[in-house]
Amino acid sequence: MAEVSRLQPQFPTLERQREADHFGMLIFLATEVLIFGGLFAALFVLRAEHSTEYTKASKEMHYWLGGINTAVLLTSSALVALMVEAVKAGSARLAKYLLFGALALGLTFLAIKFMEYGLEYRDGVVPQLSAAKLRGGPHALFMDLYFAATGLHALHVLGGLTLLASLIWPFGTARRDTSAVFAGNAALYWHLVDVIWVFLYPTLYLAR
Amino acid sequence: MSLHFWPTQASLHAEHVDWLIGSFGILVALLAAPVFILSAVYLVRYRHGRKADRSQREAGNVWLETAWAAIPFLLVMGFYVWSTKMFLDQQSPPDDALTIDVIAKQWMWKFQHAGGQREINELHVPVGRPIRLTMTSQDVIHSLYLPALRIKQDVLPGRYTQEWFAATDTGTFPLRCAEFCGTDHSVMGGRLVVQTPADFAGWQAQAGADRSLAQLGHTLFDRLGCAGCHGGNAQGQDAQVRAPPLAGLYGKPVPLADGSIVRAGDQYIHDSIMLPNKQVAAGYEPLMPPFGSVLDEEQVAQLEAYIRSLGAGGDR
Amino acid sequence: MSEATSHVNPRMSQEPIPDTAVERVSYLAEGHSLRSWLLTTDHKRIAILFLISITFFFFCGGIAAALIRLDLLTPAPDLLSNDGYNRAFSLHGIIMVWFFLIPSIPTTFGNFLLPMMIGAKDLAFPRLNLASWYIFALGGLATLATVVLGGVDTGWTFYTPFSSTYSNGAVFMAVTAVFISGFSSILTGINFIVTVHKLRCPGMTWGRLPLFVWAHYATAVIFVLATPVLTIALLLVALERVFGIGIFDPRLGGDPLLFQHLFWFYSHPAVYIMVLPAMGVVSELITNAAHKQIFGYWFVAGSAIAIAVIGFMVWGHHMFVSGQSPYASAIFSFLSILVAVPSAIKVYNWTATLHKGDIVIDGPLLYALGFIGLFTIGGLTGLMLAMLSIDVHVTDTYFVVAHFHFIMVGGSVSAFFGALHFWWPKVTGRLYNDLWARLAALLIFAGFVMTFTPQFLLGYEGMPRRYHVYPEAFQPLNVMSSVGASILALGYLLPFTYLLWSLRYGKPAGPNPWGATGLEWTTPSPPPKHNFETVPIVDKQAYCYPVGGRGEQSEPRTQNAKQDDG
Ligand code: HEA
Ligand code: HEA
Ligand code: CUA
Ligand SMILES: [Cu+2]
């Protein structure tokens, strides 16, 4: 009975339904990549045209904070991957612990990121808030793109966290199979958020 | 109020464009003809209820289909070559062209002649002579459109674009803004007045600029205190701030602090004044204040004329 | 499918016709409460929701068009102020493009038919499909909010730095509206792609897909690949407008051309979003009217994909005079000619399909023919625009306006009406009066030609677009255009009357009134909730019309079709 109710009527088999879910998620992730693609393109053009200023601006980034954040996000991603395995293996308990770990790390990432924004405000490198020093010119453009890109990414982190948090509930129920699929897709999204950061970090922080 | 179907032609280029569109129009009509004619014929001949030979219907024919993809394409390619060559030729004005500065702003056109004559929404030029328009905008994107000459070019803020023409007929022709630029876009127009060389000389005298563009620039240069750093006669070196000399700068390759080299053309000089931190000359501190919020594009054009008049370094 | 093949118009009875047994179990009868509509996950019901919404927006855009044409009756600025006119055409373009034409065929007929044509019970993600409608509705509300906030005056192209810095319209709201609707497109695209890949019924191989499905597959790919670029471009405009970050305004160190590149990278492929589904519709209509296999199935199907792919490489043809490098322009010009080749294949193949057909000239066919003729003219004038030296003269003039209205209004909107007439019996279960349909088709065609042909001349004579004050010499042609527009408006209003009438007084349609071969015609009209009682098993090609013409019954494409006769 339970088996039948999980299968949505439009699919012939549960197998096909899973494939479809997975495939749909992949296409969605591709569109996400494309959204960031526009920002990366702008950054690459900026770097090609003004390499000195780009490097100089990049030097003002708090690269060690960014580095810590990279580690935080990677670890969290690993936990999520383990969680999916745990769900598949049926150990809801373990999965729950792993999930909480990943959530905590995700929040840590956001906390550090906002601390960093604070530091940048203190340093006076926020173009709209600082003096004319940053008005116009490649440095300001760099900072603008930096805020646009990391801000958009932070929103994605928030979205990913919401998605992960919504997993807590299905673990409580016995619907192991569905939650495995859902967990798998949520994990995919979290990995994407991670991967985008892995590209943002060198592009913005390490161009020194 | 008369109904006329063809715009006036006032240059050789306009004639060429009309030939192109006329002959390409014929090709296009030929390509469309089979669709219209055959559809009509089939509709009549194979209408339901009419006796007709409907045997041996084909479900496709690779050769036929390849042919009707390839042949129109190749025919059009011929025109592509023609049109593209004409377009690329139109990109570079002849060397003896008369340069006129064009500044667009919401919602008017300003023209500055090298002799210092300035006019608004009206452009006087001599017939037969190639004219080069060096254009920039004070605010948003505009587009200078001269229908009788079949030319048009967007005018961008912070950047120079150019277009050129050699009118073959004297007379008055419309001049319009073709890129949407806000409230009064549709009334941002004026007149192009093409005159005989004698009339043009007369107009120049009567428009009566007592001072040339470069002289206007010189005054500005002194008034704005550029000389304080770059030197009274623009030779530099007599102030506390070390700034590069500007004589002989125009057209010269300039090494920049980031290692690259740019040619000191209009664009470079423009940016050096408006956004000096964008490109810093090698060996100097970025101490020059940006004049972007102080000067308008007209004044920059005058300063440029002045710097140009200080002598050219390289080839043009 | 018994008495079905007749095209004879039902004589209208005075009394409303009572529901048939079939209609009482159809998807329309699955609950009548508002809730049962607003929370439905049935693709057919969602299609109806979309149909109602986009019709509403078509009228909104149409009212703006009426204002434009009225104002242009005289060369002086009398009806609207300068700003008022700018707001009118901006709203007209924004609504017509993003809230009418882009969603038009895909979200209504695509939604309704895609699953049925491939033998599926629904789209792969029904809830996502509903979400897509809600997102669209939200975007639509934001657009209406724009109107309330005083409108927007940037044109549909949002060129920077005008939009990001100088405009005093409600740019932020407008950008937000389009931004939101983008996600609706993305979700629809994902849904279609996954559905076509994963939900084809047994025997429905790629080579047996109806061309309508191919067209929507290609469209979905563009939805998914192009929309994100628009999303980011609009986001940056919004950021620049609100926070003054300097990405596009040169005074702040930005580059105004960057926006144009991003915008056209989306918007050129988007024009194929607007025409590919229409081409899919026409392929169905032509084969059915001729009662004959399409000429060159693979060429027509492949050209849809080719258009989608090459369409991504030609965006620079909107920027020939923008100040981009002339050599880039030369390449974009070449690629624009290349992208015309697959369109050529389609047009010539449709013509060849009529050869030796058994053609019934009815409403749907007239709309399809209207599409072919007007699209051909619009497309070939597009080719003129792709020629650099011609474009320099006519870009940003009424020549361009005429070009795209020929394709989008003459072409795609005609195809939309064709689809509406062809599948109306399936969607509603009722037949309309075909005489009226033919009359409306002719009226629309005549009105259209009269409206937009003069604009080619106006453009070549040098009347720039987005002008509401113009030289007197242009008045006669403008008056002609406005008169044509009134005829056109009449033509568009007509179908709404007789189609609505048919809902109540039309004869029951029967499962397959046109004797068509698609799987959707094997179900009762209107179809039941999950479309098929038993999963169909396909063993034939698409368009396997009887060789001997209409005299013979067409063979069902499915092995188990009899069960569906109910
Ligand atoms: C549905 C919408 C749609 C479609 C399908 C097209 C299709 C095409 N368009 Fe169009 N276009 C627009 C909508 C569309 N366009 C819009 C909205 C604008 C203006 C935007 C704005 O600025 O606001 C525009 C503007 C526009 C421009 C820029 C004009 C300018 O601003 O200066 C150009 C230039 O190259 C162009 C070219 C083309 C070409 C080559 C095709 C081709 O795909 C056409 C292919 C079709 C055919 C060629 C006809 C059929 C073929 C034959 C009968 C056989 C013969 C064929 C061969 C020779 C190969 N279009
Ligand atoms: C995508 C679809 C689409 C559609 C369907 C239309 C439909 C129409 N369009 Fe438009 N149009 C665009 C897309 C579209 N347009 C775009 C993208 C632009 C560019 C905008 C810009 O520059 O930014 C444009 C610009 C544009 C202009 C140029 C404005 C300018 O540059 O100054 C004109 C001028 O004639 C025009 C006219 C029309 C007309 C007469 C119709 C008709 O087909 C509409 C007919 C429909 C109706 C009239 C509605 C039904 C009837 C009623 C509601 C009854 C009331 C009507 C009356 C009493 C008359 N359109
Ligand atoms: Cu200036 Cu339009
Ligand atoms: Cu295009």
Side-chain angles (χ1 to χ4, degrees):
Chain A
M1 225 292 293
E3 208 61 45
V4 180
S5 75
R6 272 202 300 280
L7 177 65
Q8 296 201 312
Q10 70 271 29
F11 292 101
T13 61
L14 209 58
E15 178 60 24
R16 190 79 72 81
Q17 178 172 336
R18 273 196 218 118
E19 281 171 27
D21 283 354
H22 194 72
F23 187 40
M25 190 67 190
L26 285 179
I27 303 176
F28 175 66
L29 295 186
T31 67
E32 291 278 41
V33 169
L34 282 165
I35 290 185
F36 278 93
L39 286 169
F40 276 111
L43 280 164
F44 283 130
V45 170
L46 183 65
R47 178 155 194 194
E49 281 184 359
H50 306 280
S51 54
T52 351
E53 276 101 336
Y54 191 100
T55 327
K56 214 177 101 205
S58 175
K59 280 197 182 117
E60 292 196 30
M61 300 277 96
H62 300 273
Y63 72 96
W64 44 277
L65 279 179
I68 294 175
N69 252 349
T70 311
V72 168
L73 219 49
L74 281 172
T75 320
S76 150
S77 218
L79 291 186
V80 167
L82 288 175
M83 176 203 72
V84 175
E85 290 308 310
V87 175
K88 277 192 194 145
S91 36
R93 186 119 196 240
L94 178 61
K96 213 165 208 167
Y97 287 139
L98 289 167
L99 180 60
F100 281 131
L103 285 174
L105 286 174
L107 289 173
T108 314
F109 175 91
L110 285 181
I112 295 181
K113 191 71 230 159
F114 282 108
M115 202 171 95
E116 212 183 318
Y117 286 156
L119 289 180
E120 275 140 12
Y121 174 69
R122 195 203 59 194
D123 295 349
V125 290
V126 184
Q128 284 68 46
L129 300 177
S130 66
K133 166 183 166 194
L134 271 186
R135 279 249 139 205
H139 190 175
L141 197 49
F142 177 90
M143 291 311 294
D144 284 332
L145 287 171
Y146 160 80
F147 283 114
T150 55
L152 191 63
H153 178 259
L155 284 180
H156 279 75
V157 173
L158 216 59
L161 285 176
T162 320
L163 208 59
L164 287 179
S166 71
L167 284 175
I168 298 173
W169 176 74
F171 286 169
T173 73
R175 301 167 52 192
R176 200 214 300 168
D177 242 32
T178 335
S179 51
V181 175
F182 188 43
N185 282 333
L188 262 183
Y189 189 77
W190 193 244
H191 295 324
L192 170 90
V193 169
D194 190 18
V195 167
I196 291 175
W197 180 258
V198 166
F199 280 96
L200 279 178
Y201 180 58
T203 313
L204 292 168
Y205 292 76
L206 299 183
R208 38 191 67 232
Chain B
M1 198 163 83
S2 67
L3 196 59
H4 60 98
F5 287 106
W6 211 252
T8 27
Q9 295 170 339
S11 71
L12 220 54
H13 178 70
E15 244 171 74
H16 292 325
V17 172
D18 287 352
W19 272 108
L20 176 63
I21 192 162
S23 39
F24 192 56
I26 293 174
L27 175 69
V28 157
L30 288 178
L31 291 174
V35 179
F36 286 90
I37 296 175
L38 288 180
S39 299
V41 169
Y42 294 158
L43 282 182
V44 173
R45 195 189 295 163
Y46 300 112
R47 182 151 181 202
H48 178 59
R50 229 182 115 129
K51 283 231 169 342
D53 175 18
R54 294 191 176 87
S55 61
Q56 288 177 341
R57 301 154 144 199
E58 279 192 284
N61 180 332
V62 175
W63 291 112
L64 195 59
E65 290 168 77
T66 313
W68 68 46
I71 293 171
F73 176 72
L74 292 176
L75 289 174
V76 174
M77 276 332 279
F79 283 87
Y80 169 75
V81 173
W82 178 7
S83 136
T84 305
K85 184 167 176 317
M86 204 155 119
F87 173 78
L88 292 177
D89 288 349
Q90 187 64 22
Q91 292 303 308
S92 33
D95 288 340
D96 61 338
L98 192 69
T99 300
I100 299 174
D101 288 317
V102 180
I103 291 107
K105 61 192 273 191
Q106 287 176 329
W107 289 276
M108 60 168 84
W109 294 102
K110 295 187 174 184
F111 303 96
Q112 301 196 42
H113 296 255
Q117 296 86 353
R118 284 181 281 169
E119 39 184 344
I120 288 180
N121 291 344
E122 210 170 49
L123 174 59
H124 286 79
V125 296
V127 71
R129 180 91 191 267
I131 310 287
R132 169 168 65 167
L133 304 176
T134 304
M135 312 186 288
T136 190
S137 160
Q138 185 77 39
D139 35 52
V140 301
I141 302 179
H142 304 266
S143 190
L144 184 66
Y145 180 27
L146 297 164
L149 304 165
R150 313 286 188 270
I151 56 170
K152 172 185 302 122
Q153 171 63 51
D154 280 7
V155 180
L156 305 172
R159 181 183 302 200
Y160 288 107
T161 52
Q162 65 170 18
E163 69 185 326
W164 77 273
F165 61 88
T168 47
D169 295 355
T170 55
T172 307
F173 306 101
L175 177 159
R176 304 195 173 108
C177 175
E179 186 64 78
F180 180 66
C181 54
T183 310
D184 285 346
H185 163 64
S186 58
V187 291
M188 180 170 166
R191 309 192 302 161
L192 170 73
V193 183
V194 182
Q195 297 174 305
T196 61
D199 286 350
F200 181 67
W203 172 81
Q204 276 183 313
Q206 164 257 282
D210 33 349
R211 303 156 70 225
S212 75
L213 213 54
Q215 284 165 334
L216 289 169
H218 193 169
T219 321
L220 256 182
F221 194 82
D222 292 338
R223 208 186 73 210
L224 291 165
C226 313
C229 300
H230 290 284
N233 48 6
Q235 298 301 319
Q237 325 306 11
D238 54 31
Q240 305 93 312
V241 177
R242 216 173 62 82
L246 300 181
L249 172 69
Y250 190 76
K252 208 173 66 176
V254 181
L256 297 183
D258 65 8
S260 57
I261 294 181
V262 297
R263 203 179 61 83
D266 290 337
Q267 186 72 52
Y268 173 76
I269 294 185
H270 174 274
D271 292 349
S272 293
I273 299 171
M274 303 299 263
L275 297 165
N277 293 336
K278 194 173 150 198
Q279 291 164 315
V280 177
Y284 296 93
E285 288 299 308
L287 293 175
M288 173 161 164
F291 285 83
S293 46
V294 183
L295 296 175
D296 62 25
E297 295 290 347
E298 276 175 279
Q299 295 170 310
V300 182
Q302 294 167 6
L303 285 170
E304 266 168 37
Y306 171 59
I307 293 176
R308 231 181 283 140
S309 75
L310 294 174
D315 44 339
R316 233 161 57 85
Chain C
M1 20 183 127
S2 37
E3 29 99 74
T5 34
S6 75
H7 274 243
V8 190
N9 315 308
R11 237 190 64 237
M12 276 174 211
S13 61
Q14 292 312 106
E15 289 303 305
I17 297 174
D19 285 357
T20 61
V22 166
E23 279 167 1
R24 281 194 293 273
V25 298
S26 75
Y27 76 102
L28 292 170
E30 291 275 332
H32 294 284
S33 62
L34 197 59
R35 191 188 146 87
S36 73
W37 280 92
L38 292 183
L39 293 181
T40 181
T41 53
D42 185 341
H43 66 105
K44 299 184 285 304
R45 284 194 159 205
I46 297 173
I48 303 280
L49 291 178
F50 267 116
L51 184 62
I52 294 170
S53 333
I54 62 159
T55 306
F56 170 72
F57 281 113
F58 180 60
F59 278 100
C60 293
I63 289 170
L67 282 177
I68 294 175
R69 283 314 331 166
L70 273 179
D71 187 274
L72 291 178
L73 273 173
T74 64
D78 25 34
L79 178 65
L80 298 169
S81 67
N82 289 1
D83 271 330
Y85 182 81
N86 295 344
R87 275 156 219 241
F89 73 71
S90 301
L91 216 63
H92 169 68
I94 291 172
I95 289 185
M96 285 298 201
V97 168
W98 282 295
F99 296 93
F100 171 63
L101 200 50
I102 284 184
S104 63
I105 296 177
T107 62
T108 56
F109 297 103
N111 230 333
F112 196 98
L113 296 168
L114 197 79
M116 302 189 73
M117 284 184 166
I118 62 174
K121 293 185 167 167
D122 205 321
L123 287 172
F125 309 118
R127 269 173 300 168
L128 218 55
N129 196 15
L130 183 64
S132 172
W133 180 72
Y134 273 101
I135 295 173
F136 176 76
L138 189 69
L141 285 181
T143 312
L144 297 181
T146 311
V147 184
V148 177
L149 291 175
V152 57
D153 62 347
T154 58
W156 78 288
T157 47
F158 295 115
Y159 270 19
T160 55
F162 180 72
S163 64
S164 61
T165 314
Y166 291 85
S167 160
N168 53 14
V171 179
F172 181 75
M173 204 59 191
V175 165
T176 310
V178 177
F179 177 85
I180 294 173
S181 79
F183 288 97
S184 169
S185 299
I186 290 179
L187 293 187
T188 302
I190 294 177
N191 225 336
F192 283 7
I193 295 178
V194 175
T195 304
V196 174
H197 273 269
K198 299 290 177 194
L199 287 185
R200 282 168 291 130
C201 67
M204 180 58 81
T205 58
W206 288 91
R208 288 177 183 163
L209 287 178
L211 292 165
F212 182 90
V213 176
W214 272 108
H216 277 76
Y217 183 73
T219 308
V221 170
I222 307 180
F223 267 144
V224 164
L225 293 182
T227 317
V229 179
L230 178 71
T231 305
I232 190 71
L234 294 179
L235 193 68
L236 291 175
V237 170
L239 286 176
E240 181 156 316
R241 187 151 179 98
V242 176
F243 298 111
I245 81 170
I247 308 231
F248 302 125
D249 188 348
R251 275 197 324 184
L252 307 173
D255 180 354
L257 286 191
L258 179 63
F259 175 80
Q260 292 181 27
H261 282 293
L262 290 173
F263 182 82
W264 291 117
F265 184 81
Y266 162 82
S267 284
H268 184 82
V271 308
Y272 295 122
I273 294 176
M274 301 182 234
V275 84
L276 277 171
M279 292 170 155
V281 167
V282 169
S283 297
E284 301 291 323
L285 266 48
I286 290 287
T287 48
N288 179 259
H291 240 64
K292 185 169 161 285
Q293 162 78 28
I294 186 93
F295 190 87
Y297 175 88
W298 279 112
F299 269 78
V300 178
S303 60
I305 304 296
I307 288 176
V309 173
I310 308 174
F312 274 97
M313 299 188 275
V314 308
W315 77 89
H317 70 200
H318 296 272
M319 299 170 62
F320 288 157
V321 303
S322 70
Q324 79 178 354
S325 134
Y327 300 101
S329 294
I331 292 169
F332 282 123
S333 167
F334 171 76
L335 290 168
S336 304
I337 296 167
L338 200 63
V339 79
V341 173
S343 299
I345 293 175
K346 284 196 188 260
V347 171
Y348 290 139
N349 278 36
W350 288 323
T351 311
T353 303
L354 293 176
H355 181 58
K356 296 198 174 179
D358 191 355
I359 306 168
V360 167
I361 301 177
D362 56 5
L365 178 69
L366 286 183
Y367 284 108
L369 291 174
F371 172 93
I372 296 178
L374 299 176
F375 170 75
T376 301
I377 297 175
L380 289 169
T381 51
L383 224 47
M384 290 183 171
L385 291 171
M387 293 286 158
L388 288 165
S389 298
I390 300 178
D391 185 71
V392 168
H393 174 53
V394 294
T395 183
D396 276 321
T397 67
Y398 264 82
F399 195 92
V400 177
V401 174
H403 154 66
F404 66 75
H405 282 89
F406 261 78
I407 296 190
M408 303 205 293
V409 185
S412 300
V413 177
S414 292
F416 176 77
F417 275 89
L420 193 64
H421 285 81
F422 188 63
W423 282 289
W424 185 259
K426 179 54 59 184
V427 173
T428 64
R430 299 298 173 130
L431 290 172
Y432 51 85
N433 185 329
D434 197 62
L435 200 66
W436 281 105
R438 277 177 266 172
L439 188 70
L442 291 177
L443 206 59
I444 289 175
F445 185 84
F448 178 85
V449 170
M450 187 166 172
T451 311
F452 292 103
T453 313
Q455 297 189 358
F456 281 123
L457 294 170
L458 279 174
Y460 200 75
E461 281 192 42
M463 173 161 168
R465 60 192 287 203
R466 300 167 172 181
Y467 259 38
H468 92 128
V469 182
Y470 58 85
E472 272 189 11
F474 296 150
Q475 190 174 15
L477 288 172
N478 268 305
V479 170
M480 205 162 133
S481 177
S482 295
V483 172
S486 338
I487 300 178
L488 187 58
L490 212 65
Y492 283 142
L493 287 177
L494 210 51
F496 288 97
T497 51
Y498 62 75
L499 287 179
L500 289 179
W501 171 280
S502 81
L503 282 184
R504 210 167 143 74
Y505 302 105
K507 266 200 182 165
N512 191 358
W514 316 120
T517 62
L519 292 191
E520 77 270 28
W521 300 107
T522 64
T523 66
S525 309
K529 180 148 188 249
H530 285 306
N531 306 345
F532 302 97
E533 291 297 316
T534 44
V535 179
I537 299 169
V538 176
D539 60 0
K540 285 196 190 56
Q541 289 239 298
Y543 317 115
C544 47
Y545 286 98
V547 196
R550 284 180 189 264
E552 293 169 37
Q553 179 88 67
S554 51
E555 266 183 82
R557 284 182 73 195
T558 55
Q559 294 173 353
N560 50 355
K562 264 157 260 114
Q563 287 154 324
D564 292 321
D565 260 11

